[in-house]
Amino acid sequence: MQLKEAKARFIHTWGQQGVSWGICRTMAQVHALLLISCKPLCADQIMEELNISRGNANMNIRALMDWGLIYKVPKEGPDRKEYFAAEKQMTVVFKQIVKQRKKKELDPIIDLLDECEDLKSSCPESQEFSKMVTELKSFSQKADMALDNLIKLDSHWLSGTLLRMIK
Amino acid sequence: MQLKEAKARFIHTWGQQGVSWGICRTMAQVHALLLISCKPLCADQIMEELNISRGNANMNIRALMDWGLIYKVPKEGPDRKEYFAAEKQMTVVFKQIVKQRKKKELDPIIDLLDECEDLKSSCPESQEFSKMVTELKSFSQKADMALDNLIKLDSHWLSGTLLRMIK
DNA sequence: CTATCGTTTCAAAGTATGCGGAAATTGCTG
DNA sequence: CAGCAATTTCCGCATACTTTGAAACGATAG
Protein backbone atom coordinates (compact mmCIF):
# COMPACT_ATOMS: atom_id res chain seq x y z
CA MET A 1 0.00 0.00 0.00
CA GLN A 2 1.18 3.50 -0.74
CA LEU A 3 1.70 6.05 2.00
CA LYS A 4 -0.84 8.43 0.59
CA GLU A 5 -3.53 5.79 0.43
CA ALA A 6 -2.70 4.48 3.88
CA LYS A 7 -2.85 7.96 5.39
CA ALA A 8 -6.18 8.69 3.73
CA ARG A 9 -7.59 5.41 4.94
CA PHE A 10 -6.31 5.96 8.45
CA ILE A 11 -7.77 9.45 8.70
CA HIS A 12 -11.05 8.36 7.20
CA THR A 13 -11.57 5.35 9.44
CA TRP A 14 -10.35 7.09 12.58
CA GLY A 15 -12.87 9.84 11.87
CA GLN A 16 -15.61 7.32 11.29
CA GLN A 17 -14.86 5.51 14.55
CA GLY A 18 -14.60 8.76 16.43
CA VAL A 19 -18.33 9.15 15.97
CA SER A 20 -18.91 5.85 17.76
CA TRP A 21 -16.71 7.12 20.59
CA GLY A 22 -18.77 10.26 20.99
CA ILE A 23 -16.17 12.42 19.25
CA CYS A 24 -17.33 14.29 16.20
CA ARG A 25 -15.91 13.16 12.91
CA THR A 26 -13.84 16.21 12.12
CA MET A 27 -12.28 16.34 15.57
CA ALA A 28 -11.19 12.74 15.20
CA GLN A 29 -9.83 13.44 11.74
CA VAL A 30 -7.72 16.35 12.94
CA HIS A 31 -6.43 14.11 15.68
CA ALA A 32 -5.60 11.35 13.22
CA LEU A 33 -3.80 13.80 10.93
CA LEU A 34 -1.60 15.11 13.72
CA LEU A 35 -0.98 11.65 15.13
CA ILE A 36 0.63 10.47 11.91
CA SER A 37 2.35 13.71 11.03
CA CYS A 38 6.08 13.82 11.72
CA LYS A 39 6.10 17.59 12.23
CA PRO A 40 3.70 20.09 13.81
CA LEU A 41 1.05 21.61 11.55
CA CYS A 42 -0.66 24.99 11.57
CA ALA A 43 -4.37 25.65 11.14
CA ASP A 44 -4.02 26.37 7.42
CA GLN A 45 -2.28 23.11 6.71
CA ILE A 46 -4.95 21.21 8.60
CA MET A 47 -7.70 23.04 6.71
CA GLU A 48 -6.11 22.15 3.43
CA GLU A 49 -5.37 18.50 4.20
CA LEU A 50 -8.90 17.81 5.41
CA ASN A 51 -10.80 20.28 3.25
CA ILE A 52 -12.56 21.93 6.11
CA SER A 53 -13.36 25.56 6.92
CA ARG A 54 -11.35 27.75 9.23
CA GLY A 55 -14.08 27.92 11.84
CA ASN A 56 -14.43 24.19 11.88
CA ALA A 57 -10.68 23.61 12.07
CA ASN A 58 -10.32 26.04 14.91
CA MET A 59 -13.17 24.67 16.94
CA ASN A 60 -11.81 21.17 16.77
CA ILE A 61 -8.21 22.19 17.42
CA ARG A 62 -9.45 23.93 20.51
CA ALA A 63 -11.49 20.90 21.57
CA LEU A 64 -8.50 18.59 21.11
CA MET A 65 -6.40 20.84 23.30
CA ASP A 66 -9.12 20.78 25.96
CA TRP A 67 -8.99 17.00 25.82
CA GLY A 68 -5.21 17.13 26.22
CA LEU A 69 -4.65 15.23 22.98
CA ILE A 70 -2.70 17.92 21.11
CA TYR A 71 -0.40 20.78 22.13
CA LYS A 72 0.71 24.14 20.84
CA VAL A 73 4.28 23.96 19.69
CA PRO A 74 6.32 27.14 20.22
CA LYS A 75 7.87 28.26 16.96
CA GLU A 76 10.96 30.37 16.42
CA GLY A 77 11.08 33.55 14.37
CA PRO A 78 8.62 36.30 13.60
CA ASP A 79 6.08 33.78 12.32
CA ARG A 80 2.90 34.53 14.22
CA LYS A 81 1.20 31.30 13.18
CA GLU A 82 0.56 28.68 15.80
CA TYR A 83 1.63 25.10 15.27
CA PHE A 84 0.12 22.00 16.79
CA ALA A 85 1.34 18.48 17.46
CA ALA A 86 -0.41 15.43 18.88
CA GLU A 87 0.49 13.67 22.07
CA LYS A 88 2.04 10.48 20.75
CA GLN A 89 2.50 8.40 23.84
CA MET A 90 -0.41 5.99 23.65
CA THR A 91 -0.81 5.52 27.37
CA VAL A 92 -1.27 9.26 27.77
CA VAL A 93 -3.74 9.40 24.90
CA PHE A 94 -5.64 6.52 26.43
CA LYS A 95 -5.86 8.13 29.84
CA GLN A 96 -7.05 11.45 28.45
CA ILE A 97 -9.78 9.75 26.46
CA VAL A 98 -10.93 7.65 29.41
CA LYS A 99 -11.04 10.77 31.54
CA GLN A 100 -13.22 12.68 29.12
CA ARG A 101 -15.52 9.80 28.40
CA LYS A 102 -16.01 9.05 32.05
CA LYS A 103 -17.06 12.64 32.60
CA LYS A 104 -19.55 12.44 29.80
CA GLU A 105 -20.84 8.90 30.13
CA LEU A 106 -20.61 7.91 33.77
CA ASP A 107 -20.79 11.02 35.94
CA PRO A 108 -24.30 12.06 34.81
CA ILE A 109 -25.60 8.62 35.72
CA ILE A 110 -24.19 8.87 39.21
CA ASP A 111 -25.90 12.25 39.61
CA LEU A 112 -29.15 10.70 38.44
CA LEU A 113 -28.88 7.83 40.91
CA ASP A 114 -28.17 10.22 43.77
CA GLU A 115 -31.34 12.09 42.91
CA CYS A 116 -33.39 8.93 42.69
CA GLU A 117 -32.13 7.58 45.96
CA ASP A 118 -34.27 9.63 48.32
CA LEU A 119 -37.54 8.09 47.31
CA LYS A 120 -39.81 7.53 50.28
CA SER A 121 -42.52 5.10 49.41
CA SER A 122 -43.25 1.46 50.05
CA CYS A 123 -45.44 0.00 47.31
CA PRO A 124 -43.94 -2.96 45.43
CA GLU A 125 -43.13 -0.76 42.47
CA SER A 126 -41.19 1.65 44.63
CA GLN A 127 -39.29 -1.20 46.21
CA GLU A 128 -38.29 -2.58 42.85
CA PHE A 129 -37.23 0.86 41.76
CA SER A 130 -35.18 1.56 44.87
CA LYS A 131 -33.55 -1.82 44.74
CA MET A 132 -32.45 -1.22 41.16
CA VAL A 133 -31.17 2.25 41.98
CA THR A 134 -29.15 0.97 44.91
CA GLU A 135 -27.62 -1.82 42.91
CA LEU A 136 -26.82 0.44 39.99
CA LYS A 137 -25.27 2.97 42.30
CA SER A 138 -23.04 0.50 44.01
CA PHE A 139 -21.85 -0.80 40.67
CA SER A 140 -21.39 2.65 39.17
CA GLN A 141 -19.31 3.78 42.10
CA LYS A 142 -17.03 0.81 41.74
CA ALA A 143 -16.60 1.56 38.05
CA ASP A 144 -16.07 5.22 38.86
CA MET A 145 -13.27 4.50 41.27
CA ALA A 146 -11.69 1.91 39.03
CA LEU A 147 -11.54 4.40 36.18
CA ASP A 148 -10.24 7.17 38.39
CA ASN A 149 -7.40 4.93 39.36
CA LEU A 150 -6.65 3.99 35.78
CA ILE A 151 -6.41 7.69 34.98
CA LYS A 152 -4.06 8.38 37.85
CA LEU A 153 -1.67 5.55 37.09
CA ASP A 154 1.55 6.61 35.44
CA SER A 155 2.24 5.14 32.06
CA HIS A 156 4.42 2.34 33.34
CA TRP A 157 1.80 1.12 35.79
CA LEU A 158 -0.99 1.46 33.28
CA SER A 159 0.71 -1.05 31.00
CA GLY A 160 1.22 -3.29 33.98
CA THR A 161 -2.45 -3.13 34.94
CA LEU A 162 -3.52 -4.05 31.44
CA LEU A 163 -1.08 -6.93 31.36
CA ARG A 164 -2.42 -8.24 34.63
CA MET A 165 -5.89 -8.14 33.20
CA ILE A 166 -4.81 -10.17 30.20
CA LYS A 167 -3.61 -13.14 32.19
CA MET B 1 -39.69 12.65 45.45
CA GLN B 2 -42.69 10.78 44.17
CA LEU B 3 -42.36 7.45 42.43
CA LYS B 4 -43.90 8.73 39.24
CA GLU B 5 -41.51 11.65 39.01
CA ALA B 6 -38.52 9.50 39.87
CA LYS B 7 -39.42 6.94 37.21
CA ALA B 8 -39.92 9.62 34.57
CA ARG B 9 -36.61 11.20 35.45
CA PHE B 10 -34.82 7.87 35.42
CA ILE B 11 -36.19 6.90 32.02
CA HIS B 12 -35.50 10.31 30.57
CA THR B 13 -31.92 10.56 31.76
CA TRP B 14 -31.08 6.95 30.97
CA GLY B 15 -32.35 7.56 27.44
CA GLN B 16 -30.33 10.73 27.16
CA GLN B 17 -27.18 9.00 28.35
CA GLY B 18 -27.79 6.09 26.07
CA VAL B 19 -27.05 8.38 23.16
CA SER B 20 -23.61 9.12 24.59
CA TRP B 21 -23.04 5.37 24.88
CA GLY B 22 -23.87 4.82 21.23
CA ILE B 23 -27.31 3.42 22.01
CA CYS B 24 -30.23 5.21 20.47
CA ARG B 25 -32.50 7.07 22.83
CA THR B 26 -35.57 4.93 22.49
CA MET B 27 -33.67 1.71 22.95
CA ALA B 28 -32.19 3.03 26.17
CA GLN B 29 -35.60 4.20 27.35
CA VAL B 30 -37.17 0.81 26.78
CA HIS B 31 -34.30 -0.69 28.70
CA ALA B 32 -34.76 1.76 31.56
CA LEU B 33 -38.49 1.08 31.70
CA LEU B 34 -37.99 -2.67 31.97
CA LEU B 35 -35.13 -2.32 34.45
CA ILE B 36 -37.32 -0.57 36.97
CA SER B 37 -40.48 -2.52 36.30
CA CYS B 38 -41.33 -5.15 38.85
CA LYS B 39 -43.19 -7.30 36.33
CA PRO B 40 -42.69 -8.15 32.67
CA LEU B 41 -44.34 -5.84 30.12
CA CYS B 42 -45.75 -6.48 26.66
CA ALA B 43 -45.15 -4.38 23.58
CA ASP B 44 -48.41 -2.48 24.02
CA GLN B 45 -47.58 -1.44 27.56
CA ILE B 46 -44.18 -0.24 26.45
CA MET B 47 -45.69 1.71 23.58
CA GLU B 48 -48.09 3.42 25.91
CA GLU B 49 -45.62 4.20 28.68
CA LEU B 50 -43.10 5.77 26.32
CA ASN B 51 -45.46 7.15 23.70
CA ILE B 52 -43.76 5.43 20.81
CA SER B 53 -45.09 3.64 17.75
CA ARG B 54 -45.46 -0.09 17.42
CA GLY B 55 -42.72 -0.34 14.82
CA ASN B 56 -40.32 1.58 16.97
CA ALA B 57 -41.14 -0.44 20.08
CA ASN B 58 -40.66 -3.67 18.23
CA MET B 59 -37.38 -2.69 16.65
CA ASN B 60 -35.87 -1.71 19.95
CA ILE B 61 -37.22 -4.69 21.83
CA ARG B 62 -35.52 -6.88 19.30
CA ALA B 63 -32.29 -4.91 19.49
CA LEU B 64 -32.27 -5.22 23.29
CA MET B 65 -32.74 -8.97 22.99
CA ASP B 66 -29.82 -9.10 20.53
CA TRP B 67 -27.74 -7.28 23.10
CA GLY B 68 -28.82 -9.80 25.74
CA LEU B 69 -30.25 -7.09 27.97
CA ILE B 70 -33.88 -8.25 27.99
CA TYR B 71 -35.62 -11.61 27.68
CA LYS B 72 -38.93 -12.99 26.54
CA VAL B 73 -40.88 -14.22 29.54
CA PRO B 74 -43.06 -17.29 28.91
CA LYS B 75 -46.61 -16.56 29.94
CA GLU B 76 -49.32 -19.02 31.02
CA GLY B 77 -52.74 -19.24 29.44
CA PRO B 78 -54.13 -18.59 26.01
CA ASP B 79 -52.70 -15.07 25.93
CA ARG B 80 -50.73 -14.81 22.73
CA LYS B 81 -49.01 -11.62 23.76
CA GLU B 82 -45.31 -11.74 24.45
CA TYR B 83 -43.90 -10.31 27.65
CA PHE B 84 -40.42 -8.97 28.26
CA ALA B 85 -38.25 -8.45 31.30
CA ALA B 86 -34.82 -6.91 31.72
CA GLU B 87 -31.76 -8.71 32.97
CA LYS B 88 -31.38 -7.21 36.41
CA GLN B 89 -28.06 -8.54 37.55
CA MET B 90 -25.78 -5.58 37.03
CA THR B 91 -22.65 -7.57 36.38
CA VAL B 92 -24.39 -9.34 33.52
CA VAL B 93 -25.73 -6.07 32.11
CA PHE B 94 -22.26 -4.60 32.34
CA LYS B 95 -20.63 -7.48 30.51
CA GLN B 96 -23.18 -7.46 27.71
CA ILE B 97 -22.71 -3.76 27.15
CA VAL B 98 -18.93 -4.02 27.17
CA LYS B 99 -19.14 -6.84 24.67
CA GLN B 100 -21.28 -4.90 22.23
CA ARG B 101 -19.33 -1.71 22.55
CA LYS B 102 -16.04 -3.45 22.06
CA LYS B 103 -17.37 -4.94 18.84
CA LYS B 104 -18.43 -1.55 17.62
CA GLU B 105 -15.68 0.69 18.95
CA LEU B 106 -12.51 -1.35 19.13
CA ASP B 107 -12.66 -4.14 16.57
CA PRO B 108 -12.87 -1.85 13.52
CA ILE B 109 -9.75 -0.02 14.67
CA ILE B 110 -7.82 -3.26 14.93
CA ASP B 111 -8.90 -4.11 11.40
CA LEU B 112 -7.71 -0.70 10.22
CA LEU B 113 -4.33 -1.09 11.88
CA ASP B 114 -3.88 -4.52 10.32
CA GLU B 115 -4.48 -2.98 6.92
CA CYS B 116 -2.09 -0.12 7.54
CA GLU B 117 0.66 -2.37 8.76
CA ASP B 118 1.95 -3.60 5.43
CA LEU B 119 3.23 -0.27 4.24
CA LYS B 120 6.52 -0.62 2.41
CA SER B 121 8.24 2.70 2.19
CA SER B 122 11.09 4.47 3.93
CA CYS B 123 10.68 8.21 3.79
CA PRO B 124 10.51 9.98 7.19
CA GLU B 125 6.77 10.39 6.86
CA SER B 126 6.28 6.69 6.31
CA GLN B 127 8.44 5.87 9.27
CA GLU B 128 6.45 8.14 11.53
CA PHE B 129 3.28 6.58 10.21
CA SER B 130 4.44 3.01 10.70
CA LYS B 131 5.75 3.74 14.14
CA MET B 132 2.39 5.14 15.18
CA VAL B 133 0.51 2.20 13.68
CA THR B 134 2.71 -0.29 15.48
CA GLU B 135 2.33 1.43 18.80
CA LEU B 136 -1.41 1.81 18.40
CA LYS B 137 -1.75 -1.81 17.48
CA SER B 138 0.19 -3.09 20.43
CA PHE B 139 -1.92 -0.98 22.73
CA SER B 140 -5.21 -1.90 21.08
CA GLN B 141 -4.43 -5.57 21.34
CA LYS B 142 -3.76 -5.28 25.03
CA ALA B 143 -7.05 -3.45 25.51
CA ASP B 144 -8.78 -6.04 23.36
CA MET B 145 -7.56 -8.91 25.47
CA ALA B 146 -8.23 -7.12 28.72
CA LEU B 147 -11.84 -6.52 27.69
CA ASP B 148 -12.29 -10.07 26.43
CA ASN B 149 -11.24 -11.30 29.82
CA LEU B 150 -13.57 -8.94 31.63
CA ILE B 151 -16.41 -10.32 29.53
CA LYS B 152 -15.51 -13.90 30.28
CA LEU B 153 -15.26 -13.45 34.03
CA ASP B 154 -18.20 -14.75 35.99
CA SER B 155 -20.07 -12.23 38.07
CA HIS B 156 -18.24 -13.01 41.26
CA TRP B 157 -14.81 -12.50 39.73
CA LEU B 158 -15.89 -9.40 37.90
CA SER B 159 -16.69 -7.70 41.19
CA GLY B 160 -13.38 -8.88 42.51
CA THR B 161 -11.49 -7.45 39.57
CA LEU B 162 -13.15 -4.09 40.00
CA LEU B 163 -12.35 -4.10 43.69
CA ARG B 164 -8.73 -4.83 42.98
CA MET B 165 -8.64 -1.91 40.62
CA ILE B 166 -10.02 0.40 43.26
CA LYS B 167 -7.25 -0.21 45.75
C1' DC C 1 -60.24 -21.05 5.79
C1' DT C 2 -60.49 -16.90 8.21
C1' DA C 3 -59.96 -13.81 11.91
C1' DT C 4 -56.69 -12.03 14.99
C1' DC C 5 -52.41 -10.86 16.84
C1' DG C 6 -47.60 -10.13 16.25
C1' DT C 7 -43.60 -8.92 13.38
C1' DT C 8 -41.13 -6.81 9.76
C1' DT C 9 -40.35 -3.52 6.09
C1' DC C 10 -40.60 0.91 3.87
C1' DA C 11 -41.24 5.66 2.54
C1' DA C 12 -42.10 10.04 4.34
C1' DA C 13 -41.72 13.41 8.05
C1' DG C 14 -39.35 15.19 11.81
C1' DT C 15 -35.22 16.12 14.59
C1' DA C 16 -30.59 16.68 15.80
C1' DT C 17 -25.98 17.41 14.62
C1' DG C 18 -22.07 19.12 12.07
C1' DC C 19 -20.37 22.37 8.93
C1' DG C 20 -19.21 26.62 6.32
C1' DG C 21 -18.89 31.40 6.03
C1' DA C 22 -19.32 35.87 7.86
C1' DA C 23 -18.94 38.84 11.61
C1' DA C 24 -16.94 39.97 16.10
C1' DT C 25 -13.10 39.67 19.11
C1' DT C 26 -8.44 39.28 20.61
C1' DG C 27 -3.72 40.34 20.51
C1' DC C 28 0.24 41.98 18.56
C1' DT C 29 3.26 45.58 16.07
C1' DG C 30 4.76 49.70 14.52
C1' DC D 1 -3.82 54.33 18.61
C1' DA D 2 -4.29 52.43 14.07
C1' DG D 3 -3.83 48.46 11.30
C1' DC D 4 -3.32 43.75 10.54
C1' DA D 5 -3.49 38.74 11.32
C1' DA D 6 -5.16 35.05 13.88
C1' DT D 7 -8.81 33.25 16.49
C1' DT D 8 -13.32 32.58 18.14
C1' DT D 9 -18.30 32.93 18.03
C1' DC D 10 -22.67 32.77 15.82
C1' DC D 11 -26.29 31.59 12.60
C1' DG D 12 -28.46 29.40 8.60
C1' DC D 13 -28.08 25.34 5.75
C1' DA D 14 -27.25 20.56 4.63
C1' DT D 15 -26.80 16.03 5.88
C1' DA D 16 -27.63 11.99 8.57
C1' DC D 17 -30.23 9.69 11.87
C1' DT D 18 -34.84 8.56 14.28
C1' DT D 19 -39.39 7.93 14.36
C1' DT D 20 -43.83 7.28 12.60
C1' DG D 21 -47.67 5.14 10.28
C1' DA D 22 -49.14 2.11 6.91
C1' DA D 23 -48.89 -1.94 4.55
C1' DA D 24 -47.23 -6.57 3.74
C1' DC D 25 -46.14 -10.78 5.84
C1' DG D 26 -46.38 -14.84 9.13
C1' DA D 27 -48.29 -17.66 12.54
C1' DT D 28 -51.88 -19.64 15.33
C1' DA D 29 -56.41 -20.72 17.18
C1' DG D 30 -61.01 -21.68 16.26
Side-chain angles (χ1 to χ4, degrees):
Chain A
M1 203 189 302
Q2 289 307 306
L3 175 62
K4 207 169 176 181
E5 188 196 345
K7 276 176 71 167
R9 199 186 208 95
F10 183 84
I11 291 171
H12 177 260
T13 307
W14 195 264
Q16 209 63 16
Q17 280 308 112
V19 176
S20 82
W21 306 338
I23 297 165
C24 89
R25 190 169 43 254
T26 313
M27 179 170 163
Q29 284 180 346
V30 174
H31 186 219
L33 178 61
L34 289 173
L35 264 183
I36 61 181
S37 167
C38 51
K39 53 186 193 305
L41 302 177
C42 66
D44 295 85
Q45 293 171 304
I46 292 170
M47 286 164 56
E48 178 161 2
E49 281 282 344
L50 302 178
N51 278 308
I52 58 177
S53 70
R54 181 172 303 281
N56 197 10
N58 235 284
M59 240 182 52
N60 288 301
I61 287 170
R62 172 61 182 268
L64 284 166
M65 286 198 295
D66 287 345
W67 280 49
L69 294 175
I70 68 175
Y71 309 114
K72 272 185 194 159
V73 178
K75 196 83 177 179
E76 305 295 310
D79 187 352
R80 296 234 294 284
K81 278 203 181 75
E82 297 191 316
Y83 285 77
F84 305 92
E87 168 61 55
K88 303 214 173 179
Q89 210 182 327
M90 275 312 127
T91 50
V92 176
V93 174
F94 175 78
K95 283 192 290 182
Q96 296 290 9
I97 292 178
V98 169
K99 194 171 166 182
Q100 297 291 335
R101 294 189 68 177
K102 174 173 122 48
K103 184 161 59 180
K104 194 171 126 193
E105 301 180 17
L106 183 57
D107 292 356
I109 284 298
I110 293 181
D111 293 344
L112 169 70
L113 295 173
D114 285 342
E115 282 180 30
C116 289
E117 215 171 22
D118 58 356
L119 172 65
K120 301 272 182 260
S121 178
S122 56
C123 63
E125 276 199 81
S126 296
Q127 298 205 344
E128 178 69 18
F129 184 85
S130 294
K131 193 179 144 207
M132 185 53 48
V133 168
T134 305
E135 222 172 307
L136 267 174
K137 192 177 173 188
S138 136
F139 197 84
S140 302
Q141 282 175 334
K142 274 186 217 158
D144 190 59
M145 287 186 279
L147 289 174
D148 274 341
N149 280 336
L150 263 195
I151 294 168
K152 275 184 220 135
L153 287 174
D154 79 24
S155 295
H156 178 68
W157 290 107
L158 174 56
S159 297
T161 301
L162 279 180
L163 281 175
R164 255 179 291 123
M165 290 178 67
I166 288 174
K167 277 170 206 158
Chain B
M1 200 189 302
Q2 289 307 306
L3 175 62
K4 207 167 176 181
E5 187 196 345
K7 278 177 71 168
R9 198 186 209 96
F10 183 84
I11 291 171
H12 176 262
T13 308
W14 195 264
Q16 210 61 18
Q17 280 308 111
V19 176
S20 81
W21 306 337
I23 298 165
C24 90
R25 189 171 51 253
T26 314
M27 181 170 160
Q29 284 180 344
V30 175
H31 187 220
L33 177 62
L34 289 173
L35 265 184
I36 62 182
S37 168
C38 52
K39 53 185 192 307
L41 302 178
C42 67
D44 296 83
Q45 293 171 304
I46 293 170
M47 288 164 54
E48 178 161 1
E49 281 282 344
L50 302 178
N51 280 308
I52 58 176
S53 72
R54 181 171 303 280
N56 197 9
N58 236 285
M59 240 181 52
N60 289 301
I61 286 171
R62 191 152 89 86
L64 283 166
M65 285 199 294
D66 287 346
W67 279 49
L69 294 175
I70 68 174
Y71 309 115
K72 271 184 194 160
V73 177
K75 196 84 178 181
E76 306 295 310
D79 189 352
R80 295 231 296 283
K81 280 202 180 74
E82 296 190 317
Y83 285 77
F84 305 92
E87 167 62 55
K88 303 213 172 179
Q89 210 182 328
M90 275 312 126
T91 50
V92 176
V93 174
F94 176 78
K95 283 192 290 182
Q96 296 289 7
I97 292 177
V98 168
K99 194 170 165 182
Q100 297 290 334
R101 294 189 68 176
K102 174 174 121 44
K103 183 160 63 180
K104 194 171 124 192
E105 301 180 17
L106 183 57
D107 292 357
I109 284 299
I110 292 181
D111 293 344
L112 169 69
L113 296 172
D114 285 341
E115 282 179 30
C116 289
E117 216 170 21
D118 58 356
L119 172 64
K120 302 273 181 259
S121 179
S122 55
C123 63
E125 276 199 81
S126 296
Q127 297 205 344
E128 178 70 19
F129 184 85
S130 294
K131 192 178 144 207
M132 185 53 48
V133 168
T134 305
E135 221 171 308
L136 268 174
K137 192 177 172 187
S138 137
F139 197 84
S140 302
Q141 281 175 336
K142 273 186 217 157
D144 189 59
M145 287 186 280
L147 289 174
D148 274 341
N149 281 336
L150 263 194
I151 293 168
K152 273 183 220 134
L153 288 174
D154 79 25
S155 295
H156 179 68
W157 290 107
L158 174 55
S159 297
T161 300
L162 279 180
L163 282 176
R164 255 178 291 123
M165 291 177 68
I166 289 173
K167 278 172 206 157

